[in-house]
mmCIF file of all heavy atoms in Angstrom:
data_model
loop_
_atom_site.group_PDB
_atom_site.id
_atom_site.type_symbol
_atom_site.label_atom_id
_atom_site.label_comp_id
_atom_site.label_asym_id
_atom_site.label_seq_id
_atom_site.Cartn_x
_atom_site.Cartn_y
_atom_site.Cartn_z
ATOM 1 N N LEU A 260 -26.621 149.983 155.185
ATOM 2 C CA LEU A 260 -25.182 150.248 155.224
ATOM 3 C C LEU A 260 -24.425 149.014 155.719
ATOM 4 O O LEU A 260 -24.906 148.281 156.592
ATOM 5 C CB LEU A 260 -24.908 151.433 156.156
ATOM 6 C CG LEU A 260 -23.518 152.065 156.133
ATOM 7 C CD1 LEU A 260 -23.240 152.708 154.778
ATOM 8 C CD2 LEU A 260 -23.402 153.113 157.231
ATOM 9 N N GLU A 261 -23.224 148.791 155.160
ATOM 10 C CA GLU A 261 -22.353 147.714 155.641
ATOM 11 C C GLU A 261 -21.992 147.983 157.102
ATOM 12 O O GLU A 261 -21.589 149.094 157.467
ATOM 13 C CB GLU A 261 -21.084 147.657 154.771
ATOM 14 C CG GLU A 261 -19.983 146.780 155.330
ATOM 15 C CD GLU A 261 -20.405 145.337 155.509
ATOM 16 O OE1 GLU A 261 -20.979 144.773 154.551
ATOM 17 O OE2 GLU A 261 -20.182 144.793 156.605
ATOM 18 N N THR A 262 -22.124 146.983 157.947
ATOM 19 C CA THR A 262 -21.944 147.190 159.386
ATOM 20 C C THR A 262 -20.496 147.097 159.843
ATOM 21 O O THR A 262 -20.174 147.526 160.951
ATOM 22 C CB THR A 262 -22.768 146.164 160.183
ATOM 23 O OG1 THR A 262 -22.307 144.842 159.864
ATOM 24 C CG2 THR A 262 -24.254 146.291 159.869
ATOM 25 N N GLN A 263 -19.611 146.535 159.041
ATOM 26 C CA GLN A 263 -18.221 146.374 159.453
ATOM 27 C C GLN A 263 -17.353 147.494 158.871
ATOM 28 O O GLN A 263 -17.511 147.862 157.701
ATOM 29 C CB GLN A 263 -17.684 145.013 159.001
ATOM 30 C CG GLN A 263 -18.376 143.842 159.662
ATOM 31 C CD GLN A 263 -18.319 143.919 161.180
ATOM 32 O OE1 GLN A 263 -17.247 144.065 161.767
ATOM 33 N NE2 GLN A 263 -19.484 143.818 161.821
ATOM 34 N N PRO A 264 -16.432 148.049 159.657
ATOM 35 C CA PRO A 264 -15.609 149.165 159.176
ATOM 36 C C PRO A 264 -14.606 148.718 158.118
ATOM 37 O O PRO A 264 -14.097 147.594 158.157
ATOM 38 C CB PRO A 264 -14.890 149.636 160.446
ATOM 39 C CG PRO A 264 -14.845 148.427 161.323
ATOM 40 C CD PRO A 264 -16.112 147.674 161.048
ATOM 41 N N ALA A 265 -14.332 149.628 157.180
ATOM 42 C CA ALA A 265 -13.306 149.354 156.176
ATOM 43 C C ALA A 265 -11.922 149.636 156.733
ATOM 44 O O ALA A 265 -10.944 148.975 156.380
ATOM 45 C CB ALA A 265 -13.548 150.217 154.935
ATOM 46 N N VAL A 266 -11.818 150.640 157.626
ATOM 47 C CA VAL A 266 -10.550 151.020 158.259
ATOM 48 C C VAL A 266 -10.817 151.218 159.732
ATOM 49 O O VAL A 266 -11.835 151.796 160.118
ATOM 50 C CB VAL A 266 -9.980 152.328 157.653
ATOM 51 C CG1 VAL A 266 -8.710 152.744 158.370
ATOM 52 C CG2 VAL A 266 -9.720 152.155 156.164
ATOM 53 N N MET A 267 -9.916 150.748 160.577
ATOM 54 C CA MET A 267 -10.076 150.915 162.013
ATOM 55 C C MET A 267 -8.788 151.463 162.604
ATOM 56 O O MET A 267 -7.705 150.919 162.389
ATOM 57 C CB MET A 267 -10.431 149.584 162.680
ATOM 58 C CG MET A 267 -10.740 149.725 164.173
ATOM 59 S SD MET A 267 -11.322 148.186 164.910
ATOM 60 C CE MET A 267 -9.790 147.234 164.918
ATOM 61 N N GLU A 268 -8.901 152.590 163.324
ATOM 62 C CA GLU A 268 -7.770 153.178 164.016
ATOM 63 C C GLU A 268 -8.179 153.474 165.455
ATOM 64 O O GLU A 268 -9.347 153.746 165.737
ATOM 65 C CB GLU A 268 -7.323 154.480 163.337
ATOM 66 C CG GLU A 268 -6.776 154.293 161.937
ATOM 67 C CD GLU A 268 -6.389 155.617 161.310
ATOM 68 O OE1 GLU A 268 -7.289 156.377 160.949
ATOM 69 O OE2 GLU A 268 -5.179 155.887 161.205
ATOM 70 N N THR A 269 -7.221 153.444 166.356
ATOM 71 C CA THR A 269 -7.492 153.782 167.746
ATOM 72 C C THR A 269 -6.651 154.985 168.151
ATOM 73 O O THR A 269 -5.589 155.239 167.585
ATOM 74 C CB THR A 269 -7.170 152.615 168.693
ATOM 75 O OG1 THR A 269 -5.791 152.263 168.539
ATOM 76 C CG2 THR A 269 -8.052 151.416 168.405
ATOM 77 N N CYS A 270 -7.156 155.739 169.144
ATOM 78 C CA CYS A 270 -6.373 156.834 169.706
ATOM 79 C C CYS A 270 -6.684 156.912 171.195
ATOM 80 O O CYS A 270 -7.703 156.406 171.661
ATOM 81 C CB CYS A 270 -6.670 158.162 169.013
ATOM 82 S SG CYS A 270 -8.298 158.849 169.345
ATOM 83 N N LEU A 271 -5.779 157.526 171.935
ATOM 84 C CA LEU A 271 -5.935 157.630 173.377
ATOM 85 C C LEU A 271 -6.932 158.718 173.739
ATOM 86 O O LEU A 271 -6.921 159.806 173.157
ATOM 87 C CB LEU A 271 -4.586 157.953 174.029
ATOM 88 C CG LEU A 271 -3.557 156.824 174.047
ATOM 89 C CD1 LEU A 271 -2.215 157.355 174.521
ATOM 90 C CD2 LEU A 271 -4.012 155.687 174.953
ATOM 91 N N TYR A 272 -7.784 158.422 174.703
ATOM 92 C CA TYR A 272 -8.665 159.418 175.299
ATOM 93 C C TYR A 272 -8.121 159.732 176.687
ATOM 94 O O TYR A 272 -7.878 158.811 177.468
ATOM 95 C CB TYR A 272 -10.077 158.867 175.439
ATOM 96 C CG TYR A 272 -10.955 159.015 174.224
ATOM 97 C CD1 TYR A 272 -10.483 158.714 172.946
ATOM 98 C CD2 TYR A 272 -12.262 159.465 174.358
ATOM 99 C CE1 TYR A 272 -11.300 158.848 171.841
ATOM 100 C CE2 TYR A 272 -13.084 159.598 173.243
ATOM 101 C CZ TYR A 272 -12.597 159.294 171.997
ATOM 102 O OH TYR A 272 -13.407 159.425 170.906
ATOM 103 N N THR A 273 -7.947 161.010 176.988
ATOM 104 C CA THR A 273 -7.557 161.426 178.334
ATOM 105 C C THR A 273 -8.757 162.132 178.950
ATOM 106 O O THR A 273 -9.101 163.247 178.553
ATOM 107 C CB THR A 273 -6.338 162.358 178.296
ATOM 108 O OG1 THR A 273 -5.301 161.737 177.532
ATOM 109 C CG2 THR A 273 -5.821 162.615 179.704
ATOM 110 N N ASN A 274 -9.406 161.464 179.888
ATOM 111 C CA ASN A 274 -10.677 161.923 180.423
ATOM 112 C C ASN A 274 -10.539 162.568 181.787
ATOM 113 O O ASN A 274 -9.730 162.125 182.609
ATOM 114 C CB ASN A 274 -11.662 160.751 180.547
ATOM 115 C CG ASN A 274 -11.963 160.086 179.222
ATOM 116 O OD1 ASN A 274 -12.288 160.755 178.254
ATOM 117 N ND2 ASN A 274 -11.840 158.782 179.186
ATOM 118 N N THR A 275 -11.361 163.592 182.050
ATOM 119 C CA THR A 275 -11.554 164.102 183.405
ATOM 120 C C THR A 275 -12.842 163.506 183.960
ATOM 121 O O THR A 275 -13.687 163.028 183.201
ATOM 122 C CB THR A 275 -11.661 165.631 183.409
ATOM 123 O OG1 THR A 275 -12.795 166.017 182.611
ATOM 124 C CG2 THR A 275 -10.393 166.281 182.852
ATOM 125 N N PRO A 276 -13.032 163.530 185.286
ATOM 126 C CA PRO A 276 -14.257 162.944 185.849
ATOM 127 C C PRO A 276 -15.540 163.564 185.314
ATOM 128 O O PRO A 276 -16.544 162.861 185.151
ATOM 129 C CB PRO A 276 -14.096 163.204 187.356
ATOM 130 C CG PRO A 276 -12.624 163.243 187.573
ATOM 131 C CD PRO A 276 -12.066 163.895 186.343
ATOM 132 N N ASP A 277 -15.530 164.876 185.032
ATOM 133 C CA ASP A 277 -16.735 165.514 184.512
ATOM 134 C C ASP A 277 -16.713 165.674 182.987
ATOM 135 O O ASP A 277 -17.621 166.255 182.406
ATOM 136 C CB ASP A 277 -16.978 166.869 185.178
ATOM 137 C CG ASP A 277 -15.815 167.834 184.989
ATOM 138 O OD1 ASP A 277 -14.924 167.563 184.159
ATOM 139 O OD2 ASP A 277 -15.795 168.879 185.688
ATOM 140 N N GLU A 278 -15.653 165.161 182.356
ATOM 141 C CA GLU A 278 -15.479 165.178 180.899
ATOM 142 C C GLU A 278 -15.364 166.583 180.313
ATOM 143 O O GLU A 278 -15.547 166.789 179.114
ATOM 144 C CB GLU A 278 -16.599 164.387 180.195
ATOM 145 C CG GLU A 278 -16.573 162.906 180.570
ATOM 146 C CD GLU A 278 -17.493 162.051 179.721
ATOM 147 O OE1 GLU A 278 -18.255 162.621 178.914
ATOM 148 O OE2 GLU A 278 -17.436 160.818 179.857
#
Side-chain angles (χ1 to χ4, degrees):
L260 192 65
E261 168 60 49
T262 62
Q263 295 304 307
V266 177
M267 185 174 72
E268 295 178 287
T269 58
C270 70
L271 288 171
Y272 274 45
T273 308
N274 300 310
T275 61
D277 58 13
E278 297 190 353

